[in-house]
Amino acid sequence: MHILLIAADTLLGVTLQSTLARWGRHRVTTVSQAVSRWKSERHAKKAVRRVDADIIVDLRTPQLMAAGDWVQPIDVQRTHWLAKICSRAGIPYLYLSDPRVFSGLLSHLYREQEAPDADDAPGLGLIAAEDHVRATCENHMVLRLGPLFASFDNNLLTQVLASLSSQAPLAVDDLDQLCPVEASDAARVISGVLDQLDAGAAVTGTFHYNSPDRTTAYGFAEAVLAAASQFIKVADDAIVRLEHDPDRVARNWSLDCREIRDTFAIKQVAWRGFISSTVKLYLAP
């Protein structure tokens, strides 16, 4: 299968390329994050048509969310353009999204069948992009991923470790629940989906993947620092709990992942098993 990878130079894009190259089952053509900032639908069409791909895998959104940004109206428009291109070409569109389509006000694991109910700017942008994918391209998959981390690029793990060289402690949230995903684990999931689509699986719809163990950003940072202390000296006050308005309600962005398990036989892997090796990679000279 010939895959067109959008935002291939991002954290997830680099890791996914490595995973796909290791198995050698697919041909991959890449478009960088900068190039994917098309100004018009015509430019997007030109970039895609010259590739003649069998599927488009769009990784722009996870990078935005990992960096603390969110989906802007122009990003939603570009998603619509890509969905239209896929629909006209008769090829699948795999769009990567985020749990923050939900408000996070419910305590249970969110299922794919639940209607997104976010009402803040990041959530509304995600919802708009997903709606365009579903409405425009019949042969689509929306894959919502938990927050990504790796030993490089801008993410919670690298932010925690980078703060060790500063004099000021890093203030980290200890209220909202999340289920982090290490980048190579996310690449494993996407690669598995692509293999089965290439084998003829006619699957469309929305799927979830995150690690099975909930934590907070503070709990995650504690695990990172515990691993780092095996290699370097870590100050006792390297991280502190972020102060909140006492009336603020804790939110939960944990996803139920049974659909991807039942459809693609993809099982969840705990994020804690990746921490030590990922921290070691970051600290390696």
Side-chain angles (χ1 to χ4, degrees), residues 74-202:
I74 183 60
D75 300 309
V76 174
Q77 196 168 29
R78 290 169 183 141
T79 303
H80 188 203
W81 295 340
L82 288 170
K84 287 168 67 176
I85 292 165
C86 287
S87 179
R88 290 167 180 164
I91 62 174
Y93 182 27
L94 174 53
Y95 176 73
L96 276 290
S97 190
D98 188 275
R100 279 165 280 190
V101 295
F102 299 112
S103 66
L105 296 177
L106 303 178
S107 60
H108 64 258
L109 300 176
Y110 281 95
R111 294 208 62 187
E112 292 87 346
Q113 294 84 358
E114 295 181 69
D117 62 345
D119 59 3
D120 57 0
L124 291 172
L126 290 164
I127 291 170
E130 287 191 6
D131 285 347
H132 276 302
V133 173
R134 295 188 188 94
T136 307
C137 182
E138 182 178 359
N139 193 2
H140 71 268
M141 278 187 61
V142 174
L143 175 58
R144 297 176 184 141
L145 283 178
L148 295 169
F149 68 93
S151 62
F152 64 99
D153 213 284
N154 185 18
N155 57 84
L156 182 55
L157 184 141
T158 58
Q159 290 165 13
V160 170
L161 293 176
S163 73
L164 295 179
S165 60
S166 69
Q167 298 299 316
L170 180 67
V172 188
D173 177 77
D174 196 24
L175 195 59
D176 297 337
Q177 297 283 315
L178 47 87
C179 297
V181 181
E182 199 271 336
S184 66
D185 189 35
R188 170 188 68 90
V189 171
I190 298 169
S191 176
V193 168
L194 291 170
D195 285 347
Q196 294 186 54
L197 293 177
D198 186 38

Side-chain angles (χ1 to χ4, degrees), residues 30-281:
T30 63
V31 171
S32 70
Q33 189 177 27
V35 170
S36 70
R37 296 189 181 106
W38 299 294
K39 300 299 184 184
S40 69
E41 185 176 354
R42 182 174 62 85
H43 291 147
K45 283 181 183 176
K46 185 181 293 186
V48 172
R49 282 177 176 170
R50 67 165 64 103
V51 174
D52 192 26
D54 299 311
I55 185 171
I56 289 179
V57 179
D58 186 353
L59 307 178
R60 291 172 300 130
T61 295
Q63 182 68 20
L64 290 171
M65 305 306 284
D69 297 325
W70 58 80
V71 177
Q72 303 290 341
I74 183 60
D75 300 309
V76 174
Q77 196 168 29
R78 290 169 183 141
T79 303
H80 188 203
W81 295 340
L82 288 170
K84 287 168 67 176
I85 292 165
C86 287
S87 179
R88 290 167 180 164
I91 62 174
Y93 182 27
L94 174 53
Y95 176 73
L96 276 290
S97 190
D98 188 275
R100 279 165 280 190
V101 295
F102 299 112
S103 66
L105 296 177
L106 303 178
S107 60
H108 64 258
L109 300 176
Y110 281 95
R111 294 208 62 187
E112 292 87 346
Q113 294 84 358
E114 295 181 69
D117 62 345
D119 59 3
D120 57 0
L124 291 172
L126 290 164
I127 291 170
E130 287 191 6
D131 285 347
H132 276 302
V133 173
R134 295 188 188 94
T136 307
C137 182
E138 182 178 359
N139 193 2
H140 71 268
M141 278 187 61
V142 174
L143 175 58
R144 297 176 184 141
L145 283 178
L148 295 169
F149 68 93
S151 62
F152 64 99
D153 213 284
N154 185 18
N155 57 84
L156 182 55
L157 184 141
T158 58
Q159 290 165 13
V160 170
L161 293 176
S163 73
L164 295 179
S165 60
S166 69
Q167 298 299 316
L170 180 67
V172 188
D173 177 77
D174 196 24
L175 195 59
D176 297 337
Q177 297 283 315
L178 47 87
C179 297
V181 181
E182 199 271 336
S184 66
D185 189 35
R188 170 188 68 90
V189 171
I190 298 169
S191 176
V193 168
L194 291 170
D195 285 347
Q196 294 186 54
L197 293 177
D198 186 38
V203 179
T204 60
T206 302
F207 295 87
H208 289 168
Y209 184 82
N210 58 202
S211 59
D213 41 347
R214 298 193 207 190
T215 187
T216 64
Y218 185 86
F220 179 84
E222 280 192 317
V224 171
L225 292 181
S229 67
Q230 302 174 51
F231 308 103
I232 59 173
K233 183 175 176 57
V234 175
D236 292 338
D237 63 347
I239 58 170
V240 296
R241 287 178 172 84
L242 183 68
E243 293 187 11
H244 295 291
D245 183 327
D247 296 327
R248 192 189 131 184
V249 177
R251 292 167 294 178
N252 160 53
W253 284 299
S254 309
L255 301 175
D256 186 303
C257 302
R258 74 185 73 179
E259 293 292 338
I260 201 164
R261 179 199 64 198
D262 294 346
T263 304
F264 295 103
I266 292 174
K267 296 181 179 180
Q268 294 169 278
V269 177
W271 62 267
R272 292 183 186 274
F274 293 98
I275 291 295
S276 181
S277 58
T278 308
V279 167
K280 186 175 180 180
L281 276 174

